[in-house]
Amino acid sequence: MKLSAAQAGDASLQHEGRYRNQAEFPQDGVLKKLRIGFKYLLLSKPADTRPAAPIPVQALTSAQLLAAPDRSLWRLGHSTVLLKLRGRFFITDPVFAERASPVQWAGPLRFHQPPLGLAQLPPITAVILSHDHYDHLDEQAIRTLAERAEHFITPLGVGDTLIEWGVPASKVQQLDWWQETVVAGVRLVATPAQHFSGRGLFDSNRTLWASWVIIDDERRLFFSGDTGYFAGFREIGERFGPFDLTLVETGAYNLNWPNVHMQPEQSLQAHQDLRGRWMLPIHNGTFDLSLHSWHEPFDRIMALASAAQVPLSTPQMGERVSLEQPHRGQAWWLPLEQRTAMSASTLVNDQR
């Protein structure tokens, strides 16, 4: 099933050319967007929003990936996750750029290099995109993958952008919420999220945003993309759960954005609403997109998951996770957290 944006259904509540969330909340105007962009992308931030030393990354090669067992997963950074299913590779929100920004001379800079470069990726069966924000949709990565990847699966409207960038239209499938497709035997369902879209000041919500359900026979994964907490998680869990693993955004949150990003307590609740077994927090550890310390999302979700007895997987970037038998991983950020705290303290003392 190949859909264009013009073949949209109405699940996403499109109105006058713009998409809406299931729950209505105030939309930011152009001036507020400018203030937010200037404050969070250009102004200096507290020292602890970035690690004081490079975070650990397990380097990968294409040969390693090809030889790895089926039903494997690797975090490559932020919300970029590589999946091996049925001997084929699927990748979510591939971002390899140095900055999550419309320009590469300013904006949030990566904490770490990807475990492998774009040129070293194995053949990609499908690129799965959640929405068009710069930390999820990397134009250069898409242009590089345009001929190498077989399929690009997107929410409505995002595929049109890809076609403008040179992706053959025959490779692009655009789905409304609750629509689905099958690629190489893997079932992909676009499910609701509570967020927004736009890559400029005047294209707000012209394209859709989505979370994704990924089903490989009896194995079920959930990929949140970006989202605030909303009642839709429970419905997704009722329709498609239980999930063996949920990849849920846990990072780059702020009390000023309560509707479009989740605090860690809400991330955990979303996982529970989804009827998830293992939780793997994403949208963290790569870019400083808010004002909290870079390690705070890990600290908070680890404590919350422990108290709720929810199995939590926190692999290093590039570390393999088995979808058949996930593992907890190490609290790899703790030594860096201590160094970051010491560095921030020294900076404060030097400024006195």
Side-chain angles (χ1 to χ4, degrees):
M1 175 177 62
K2 296 186 185 297
L3 298 172
S4 69
Q7 296 171 302
D10 59 3
S12 52
L13 307 175
Q14 188 183 30
H15 178 68
E16 296 181 351
R18 297 183 190 271
Y19 293 96
R20 296 181 293 169
N21 288 293
Q22 292 179 338
E24 291 292 332
F25 50 84
Q27 299 297 308
D28 294 336
V30 172
L31 289 178
K32 185 174 181 180
K33 288 181 180 178
L34 282 171
R35 288 196 300 270
I36 291 173
F38 183 73
K39 180 177 180 180
Y40 291 100
L41 297 182
L42 299 178
L43 291 182
S44 60
K45 299 178 182 178
D48 63 356
T49 61
R50 295 185 60 83
I55 72 170
V57 174
Q58 295 190 16
L60 292 169
T61 66
S62 182
Q64 283 178 291
L65 297 170
L66 291 169
D70 206 23
R71 291 182 173 170
S72 293
L73 172 154
W74 299 265
R75 270 201 80 189
L76 304 186
H78 199 53
S79 295
T80 305
V81 177
L82 186 65
L83 298 165
K84 187 174 185 180
L85 304 171
R86 296 175 175 252
R88 293 171 174 259
F89 291 93
F90 299 72
I91 194 168
T92 65
D93 290 356
V95 173
F96 289 76
E98 282 293 306
R99 296 183 185 270
S101 171
V103 296
Q104 289 301 291
W105 48 264
L109 182 67
R110 297 185 74 100
F111 302 162
H112 63 89
Q113 290 300 309
L116 78 169
L118 271 169
Q120 285 72 51
L121 282 175
I124 300 296
T125 293
V127 176
I128 304 167
L129 295 170
S130 64
H131 64 299
D132 69 0
H133 286 158
Y134 287 92
D135 58 321
H136 294 261
L137 182 58
D138 175 357
E139 180 177 353
Q140 187 54 54
I142 295 299
R143 289 185 181 276
T144 300
L145 292 169
E147 296 301 326
R148 297 177 53 197
E150 296 179 37
H151 302 273
F152 293 78
I153 316 300
T154 81
L156 294 173
V158 178
D160 296 338
T161 301
L162 271 54
I163 293 168
E164 292 175 2
W165 291 347
V167 177
S170 60
K171 292 185 174 186
V172 178
Q173 298 187 55
Q174 305 190 60
L175 306 185
D176 198 356
W177 293 340
W178 305 119
Q179 291 181 332
E180 60 183 84
T181 188
V182 176
V183 177
V186 176
R187 185 181 173 194
L188 304 172
V189 186
T191 43
Q194 183 169 286
H195 201 55
F196 65 107
S197 67
R199 292 173 72 83
L201 293 176
F202 304 106
D203 63 346
S204 177
N205 296 347
R206 293 292 186 183
T207 64
L208 185 59
W209 47 96
S211 57
W212 289 93
V213 170
I214 303 170
I215 302 174
D216 177 17
D217 288 336
E218 75 281 5
R219 288 286 171 257
R220 293 172 179 254
L221 287 79
F222 176 80
F223 172 67
S224 72
D226 277 4
T227 179
Y229 178 76
F230 73 125
F233 289 120
R234 187 172 296 278
E235 183 176 3
I236 296 168
E238 290 171 351
R239 288 198 189 195
F240 297 105
F243 289 95
D244 299 284
L245 181 69
T246 67
L247 306 167
V248 180
E249 76 145 50
T250 313
Y253 45 77
N254 191 292
L255 292 176
N256 291 323
W257 316 323
N259 299 307
V260 296
H261 286 292
M262 294 187 287
Q263 296 284 319
E265 292 82 359
Q266 295 171 315
S267 299
L268 180 66
Q269 186 61 59
H271 167 83
Q272 294 171 322
D273 290 353
L274 290 161
R275 301 166 60 205
R277 296 188 179 113
W278 283 81
M279 178 182 180
L280 196 158
I282 57 173
H283 205 255
N284 53 43
T286 300
F287 297 110
D288 55 336
L289 296 171
S290 188
L291 299 180
H292 58 66
S293 66
W294 74 271
H295 53 79
E296 180 185 299
F298 296 106
D299 295 336
R300 288 175 64 181
I301 197 62
M302 184 171 68
L304 291 163
S306 177
Q309 297 185 322
V310 168
L312 189 73
S313 184
T314 56
Q316 293 181 8
M317 304 300 174
E319 181 179 357
R320 188 182 79 88
V321 175
S322 168
L323 301 180
E324 301 284 7
Q325 192 173 5
H327 67 283
R328 295 188 180 275
Q330 300 177 349
W332 52 264
W333 62 92
L334 289 180
L336 288 176
E337 178 178 338
Q338 295 169 357
R339 293 185 63 176
T340 301
M342 292 174 60
S343 177
S345 176
T346 300
L347 180 62
V348 169
N349 290 332
D350 288 345
Q351 291 175 340
R352 287 177 177 172

